[in-house]
Amino acid sequence: MVAFYNAIFYQPIFNALIFLHNVLPGHDIGLAIIFLTIVIKLILWPFQTRMLRSQKALSDIQPRIEALKKQYGTDKEGLGKAVMELYSKEKVNPASSCLPTLIQLPVFIALYQSLSHGLKSSGFDLLYPFVANPGTIQPTLLGFLNLSTPSIVLALLAGVAQYFQAKMMVTRQQAANTNGAKDEAMLATMNKQMLYMMPVVTVFIGWKLPAGLSLYWCLSNVLTIAQQYWFFKKKAAADAVPAAPAKM
């Protein structure tokens, strides 16, 4: 399992980081982290879009699920079967909304390991043959910000970005869910708790870890905000287009 993780996640990310450091002007590890963050975000883009699409679809069918609850009453088995049929008919997979998070977890761990080794100029024995060994890496961004030690400024920026990312999702869910269902109210309460809890956790973690990781987390959240804005704007434009009249 460790060998699989190293081959699929850690080694490719570490090699990508060192490769970017080698080819970017000035051999700036901070710029390498920024470019690597963009590359990782582009790779995860389809999974994140699928999650957003799944969450939107789940919100859209909530009124129909509430209607099924009223129809079946205490018949839990019949309700479960009807809900699953509705999911199948509308091609909605509730589990797909968790996929990006599950994928990002090993990526985040691998990135942490890569930064730990890269910023300490170690681990070069895992470089691919076509990636040159840089010898010693200056752990700075633009020559002045030390990325090998914690930075409260970057940690706070990461926490702020985390807040606005979650805020955007909570606002969209509140706008979509107007039926006041109990499970929707519970979900809204959990989302509100996460809205304030996750930024605090992000700042706390960023306060302890190397600033390079906070830089990644901050930029990743900013890119996620941009993706969410693009997705919701595109979806709103598509929903605003009137359906074509049926042919007689």
Side-chain angles (χ1 to χ4, degrees), residues 108 112 116 119-120 147-156 158 200-214:
F108 186 77
Y112 169 71
S116 296
L119 294 173
K120 295 177 181 177
L147 299 177
S148 63
T149 60
S151 169
I152 183 58
V153 174
L154 281 177
L156 288 172
V200 173
V201 172
T202 300
V203 173
F204 178 78
I205 294 177
W207 203 324
K208 304 293 183 180
L209 296 180
L213 198 61
S214 295

Side-chain angles (χ1 to χ4, degrees), residues 65-212:
I65 293 178
E66 290 304 309
L68 289 174
K69 289 180 180 179
K70 294 178 180 178
Q71 176 183 345
Y72 284 90
T74 58
D75 184 4
K76 300 297 183 182
E77 183 177 350
L79 174 62
K81 183 178 180 181
V83 170
M84 293 305 297
E85 290 177 353
L86 177 61
Y87 285 158
S88 178
K89 179 181 178 181
E90 299 298 329
K91 298 180 181 180
V92 174
N93 182 7
S96 64
S97 62
C98 302
L99 183 60
T101 302
L102 295 177
I103 293 177
Q104 289 188 68
L105 183 59
V107 171
F108 186 77
I109 296 174
L111 185 69
Y112 169 71
Q113 292 179 307
S114 298
L115 292 178
S116 296
H117 287 125
L119 294 173
K120 295 177 181 177
S121 301
S122 63
F124 295 142
D125 55 307
L126 292 177
L127 291 177
Y128 298 139
F130 57 86
V131 178
N133 187 332
T136 301
I137 294 177
Q138 293 297 324
T140 58
L141 170 63
L142 302 179
F144 70 91
L145 180 59
N146 191 343
L147 299 177
S148 63
T149 60
S151 169
I152 183 58
V153 174
L154 281 177
L156 288 172
L157 289 176
V160 170
Q162 179 71 47
Y163 170 81
F164 281 107
Q165 177 198 338
K167 180 67 174 177
M168 182 182 291
M169 291 301 300
V170 169
T171 302
R172 292 290 178 175
Q173 289 171 350
Q174 288 175 340
N177 301 322
T178 58
N179 55 3
K182 290 183 179 180
D183 54 348
E184 289 299 304
M186 183 179 299
L187 179 60
T189 300
M190 292 177 59
N191 286 334
K192 287 182 180 179
Q193 292 175 348
M194 295 298 290
L195 172 64
Y196 298 104
M197 184 183 302
M198 283 305 298
V200 173
V201 172
T202 300
V203 173
F204 178 78
I205 294 177
W207 203 324
K208 304 293 183 180
L209 296 180

Side-chain angles (χ1 to χ4, degrees), residues 41-69:
K41 196 62 186 177
L42 290 174
I43 293 174
L44 296 178
W45 185 282
F47 300 101
Q48 186 73 20
T49 301
R50 185 179 302 175
M51 181 197 74
L52 294 172
R53 189 179 293 116
S54 177
Q55 291 179 342
K56 180 66 168 60
L58 284 171
S59 296
D60 290 342
I61 66 174
Q62 277 304 312
R64 298 168 66 180
I65 293 178
E66 290 304 309
L68 289 174
K69 289 180 180 179

